[in-house]
């Protein structure tokens, strides 16, 4: 009888540990999908950055429309917008520093 109680107690403890381990795993599987949608923009997207002026000019030299945004470290990112091939735009920021251009 004591063996069964110990076995049952061990199973409950193991289940609790596994249950706790499963929650972050499901949350972690959701994050890579989000990270995949915000990868660094491809090389066909040209970036001209002037850090001391807090300015970047981005040109879509890709053969297709791109959904892009400028990421500013410790500051406000640009909105995610669609840019056609050949289209260029400028982004200025007040606080933070240039991080990268990502797809979104």
């Amino acid at each position: 009888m004591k063996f069964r109680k110990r076995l049952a107690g061990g199973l409950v403890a193991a289940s609790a540990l596994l249950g706790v381990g499963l929650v972050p795993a499901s949350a972690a599987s959701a994050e890579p999908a989000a990270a995949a949608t915000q990868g660094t923009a491809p090389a066909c997207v040209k970036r001209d950055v002037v850090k001391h002026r807090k300015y970047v000019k981005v040109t879509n030299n890709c053969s297709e429309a791109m959904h892009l945004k400028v990421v500013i470290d410790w500051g406000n990112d640009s909105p995610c917008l669609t840019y056609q091939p050949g289209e260029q735009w400028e982004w200025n920021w007040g606080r933070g520093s240039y991080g990268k251009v990502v797809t979104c």
Side-chain angles (χ1 to χ4, degrees), residues 82-94:
T82 302
Y83 299 95
Q84 300 301 318
E87 191 173 358
Q88 66 181 1
W89 72 101
E90 300 170 351
W91 180 253
N92 294 83
W93 62 94

Side-chain angles (χ1 to χ4, degrees), residues 25-45:
S26 63
S29 65
E31 287 189 12
T37 60
Q38 290 202 9
T40 302
C44 59
V45 175

Side-chain angles (χ1 to χ4, degrees), residues 44-55:
C44 59
V45 175
K46 182 180 177 190
R47 302 115 166 123
D48 293 313
V49 182
V50 182
K51 289 186 178 185
H52 68 278
R53 294 195 180 183
K54 298 189 177 204
Y55 163 87

Side-chain angles (χ1 to χ4, degrees), residues 6-22:
R6 286 185 189 161
L7 180 60
L11 289 175
V12 170
S15 296
L17 288 175
L18 288 175
V20 171
L22 291 177

